[in-house]
Amino acid sequence: MSKFTNAAPSWDKETSRLGAIARRISLVVLAWCVITLGSPATHAKNLLIEGATLIDGTGKGPIQDARVLVEGETIRAVWSGNSGGPSVPPDTQVINAKGKFIIPGLIDSHVHYRAYMGEMFLSYGVTAVYDLGDPINWQLAVRKGLNSGKLRGPRFYFCAPVGTGPEGGDGDAAGSALSGRAISSMKTPADAKEAIAKLKGKTDCIKLSENTKGDFFTAIAREAHAAGMNVISHSLNAMDSATWGIDGVEHMTGVGISAIRKPDGRKAMEGMNIEAGHKNSLLYQWMEPALFDEMIQYFVKRNVYLNPTLDFEWKGIIDRTPQFELEDTKLLYNPLLQYVPLDERLVTLGQYHWADKRSSADREQFLKGYKNVQEFLRRFVKAGGKIYSGTDSAAANTPGLALHHEMEIYVDAGLTPMEALLTSTKWGAEILRLDKQLGTVEPNKLADLVILRSNPLEDIRNARAIDEVIRGGEIMDIGYHSDYKFPFPLFGPEAKHLYNPPPRLRGVTPPVAVQGKESRLRVTGRGFVPSSVVYFGNSLAETKFESPTELSVTLTPQQTAEVGTVLMTVQTPKPGGGVSEELPFIVDYP
């Protein structure tokens, strides 16, 4: 015992000495990092990447032993070998990338951006995203912060809605966190010019919904194109949407419906709840491959792009499901990413299990539909059609990683790795008319690049073997940090259409209870589910689900024991769900 006791002081001295040395080394390393790497990104005046194989995103063959010279945030020159290039300024930082591969920065063309996403996108080489559904003033602030480099994350572009119809609604259902989206509306198609003028210079494109009528859609598309903007939309018939002037079709719903014309298929559709996401999966089994070439020619002639969001819709039932679920789980439970909201993890991982309790016959029908979708997309691209990759992240997908899953699924469908890369680079830039700035590694474009350790043309999964991410000429910090901050969070319950909707409380009848008496109430609103409950102040009230718009509530004498004003709420559990707005209720004297 005394042996160990006597040894302790010398051990403490040695520990103290080693600690002091470690601290000195840490300070030296920290100083070196600040000088050479910067924080959070390194931004030399000029940058030269040399020796790599360049896959420039144009679709052309790779350039061996490439040189990419960046001045400021712009690519100045691209050449091969030690000769034939411009003179390199003396203050240029050189990256020796021999044995590595350069691709353009990746673009996720369908996201619902949230405060936690920035590091996750950058870590997977995503240097630009398109936000498709948030308050426009929020989008304007976020775009300014991200695109100026004041905030660490990808470049940010967004598409704004146009409200249509007699009431000028925004055309999209929105929960309280997504309210205030439409700043432009039109009561008749004749209002399109004025409506688009209100958005010009603010938004990067126009996003409509599957409920936008053809006469409104045609007028909006005409004016948007004249103003230099494209129109993307959900669709309930992609052939109609193409006729009306659509540029990009979100999800495969409209394509699936357009490819079903036989009576048995049309009849089957009548009993379906048609909306974006896995709820449509039984739809696609009825697609008629004999119609594919006719449809594809129609889309290609009109330059209609497709955003299939396959990972979002199919990831729970395909061969890659176990692989994708394991990768998502490992990432979402990284200790440095615990700032990712629990609700987002539950929704994302829960999407892998939507088919668990389906019968074998149902699963067979789902997979038949999946093969139809794969065949359509393979033929579409071979015929000259263009796909732009989007993940619908914040609906049920992991930011960054999901874009790589999407590209893997495209290769499974029959696209080449080069074509899969084009969906997340060149074609993604084209759909928002950003191809003069983004999408390829060419002179005069923004220097958004990813350096890889392995060749993505041999295996598209190698696009994840990321060595460096460069955004606007800056070598980005692509690590995760538990203290990552973003100054523009969104508040309030958000719609998770695959799970519980956010509850909205509209009224209580009667609005008054008598002190000390049992009281039966009728609570009205929307977004109610069987697991929704009513809180009377901080007290849980006996609640019975009547419908998505009505709950029955019983207040006990104990709950009405004191007179006064009490705030009532409806609460629905996660995933999705949330807490409604508060509604005052009176407990009156007898």
Side-chain angles (χ1 to χ4, degrees), residues 13 70 76 78 118 147 160 166 173 187 230 234 263 306 373 390 395 419 464 468 509 569:
K13 289 179 181 178
V70 176
R76 178 186 171 195
V78 178
N147 293 4
K187 293 184 178 180
N230 278 356
H234 291 181
L306 300 180
V373 170
E419 290 165 341
R464 292 194 244 167
E468 301 277 9
T509 307
T569 57

Side-chain angles (χ1 to χ4, degrees), residues 107-114 128-147 154-162 180-184 198-208 228-232 250 431-434 438:
I107 301 170
D108 190 329
S109 301
H110 186 140
V111 310
H112 301 275
Y113 202 84
R114 296 294 178 265
V129 299
Y130 303 162
D131 185 76
L132 303 191
D134 282 307
I136 192 167
N137 289 325
W138 181 90
Q139 290 171 318
L140 288 167
V142 170
R143 184 174 64 185
K144 188 181 297 183
L146 285 170
N147 293 4
R155 297 184 191 277
F156 181 93
Y157 304 91
F158 69 88
C159 302
V162 176
R181 285 163 54 180
I183 64 167
S184 180
K198 289 182 180 179
L199 293 171
K200 187 175 181 180
K202 295 184 176 69
T203 184
D204 300 293
C205 77
I206 304 299
K207 179 180 182 287
L208 302 178
M229 291 185 287
N230 278 356
V231 177
I232 64 173
E250 300 297 317
I431 191 60
L432 253 63
R433 302 191 184 193
L434 293 170
L438 305 175

Side-chain angles (χ1 to χ4, degrees), residues 110-127:
H110 186 140
V111 310
H112 301 275
Y113 202 84
R114 296 294 178 265
Y116 67 91
M117 292 181 172
E119 291 191 321
M120 302 179 78
F121 279 124
L122 287 179
S123 181
Y124 281 93
V126 179
T127 55

Side-chain angles (χ1 to χ4, degrees), residues 28-281:
V28 172
V29 171
L30 178 61
W32 179 86
C33 288
V34 170
I35 293 170
T36 62
L37 296 180
S39 178
T42 297
H43 193 189
K45 185 175 181 181
N46 300 298
L47 185 67
L48 175 66
I49 308 168
E50 60 179 17
T53 297
L54 172 62
I55 303 165
D56 64 11
T58 64
K60 299 175 183 177
I63 300 172
Q64 305 296 327
D65 193 22
R67 288 356 183 218
V68 179
L69 178 62
V70 176
E71 289 188 350
E73 64 175 9
T74 306
I75 299 170
R76 178 186 171 195
V78 178
W79 72 98
S80 177
N82 290 319
S83 61
S87 58
V88 177
D91 62 346
T92 299
Q93 178 183 351
V94 178
I95 297 178
N96 183 350
K98 185 176 181 180
K100 298 177 182 178
F101 300 82
I102 302 172
I103 62 173
L106 301 177
I107 301 170
D108 190 329
S109 301
H110 186 140
V111 310
H112 301 275
Y113 202 84
R114 296 294 178 265
Y116 67 91
M117 292 181 172
E119 291 191 321
M120 302 179 78
F121 279 124
L122 287 179
S123 181
Y124 281 93
V126 179
T127 55
V129 299
Y130 303 162
D131 185 76
L132 303 191
D134 282 307
I136 192 167
N137 289 325
W138 181 90
Q139 290 171 318
L140 288 167
V142 170
R143 184 174 64 185
K144 188 181 297 183
L146 285 170
N147 293 4
S148 68
K150 292 181 174 68
L151 301 177
R152 189 161 59 88
R155 297 184 191 277
F156 181 93
Y157 304 91
F158 69 88
C159 302
V162 176
T164 61
E167 302 302 322
D170 75 3
D172 272 326
S176 61
L178 301 181
S179 60
R181 285 163 54 180
I183 64 167
S184 180
S185 62
M186 45 194 287
K187 293 184 178 180
T188 72
D191 300 329
K193 189 177 186 68
E194 182 180 354
I196 295 301
K198 289 182 180 179
L199 293 171
K200 187 175 181 180
K202 295 184 176 69
T203 184
D204 300 293
C205 77
I206 304 299
K207 179 180 182 287
L208 302 178
S209 82
E210 60 268 43
N211 299 316
T212 307
K213 304 301 182 184
D215 52 351
F216 282 95
F217 202 119
T218 301
I220 291 169
R222 181 184 65 247
E223 297 300 334
H225 295 158
M229 291 185 287
N230 278 356
V231 177
I232 64 173
S233 180
H234 291 181
S235 172
L236 290 178
N237 188 311
M239 295 288 280
D240 286 346
S241 299
T243 303
W244 299 337
I246 199 171
D247 299 291
V249 178
E250 300 297 317
H251 310 297
M252 290 296 287
T253 314
V255 174
I257 291 173
S258 296
I260 302 171
R261 299 182 193 173
K262 291 180 179 178
D264 54 350
R266 303 301 295 185
K267 183 177 180 180
M269 278 199 299
E270 292 176 3
M272 296 181 188
N273 180 20
I274 304 296
E275 57 182 285
H278 67 71
K279 297 173 184 177
N280 295 334
S281 296

Side-chain angles (χ1 to χ4, degrees), residues 252 292-293 295-297 299-300 304-308 310 373-389 409-411 413-423 427:
M252 290 296 287
F292 288 0
D293 290 342
M295 293 173 59
I296 288 168
Q297 289 173 17
F299 295 151
V300 171
V304 174
Y305 289 48
L306 300 180
N307 186 358
L310 296 186
V373 170
Q374 288 181 306
E375 176 65 13
F376 186 93
L377 294 175
R378 184 188 67 78
R379 289 200 216 174
F380 178 69
V381 173
K382 298 310 176 190
K386 296 179 180 180
I387 291 172
Y388 57 110
S389 291
I409 294 174
Y410 293 156
V411 173
L415 276 65
T416 67
M418 177 70 85
E419 290 165 341
L421 279 175
L422 290 173
T423 70
W427 296 343

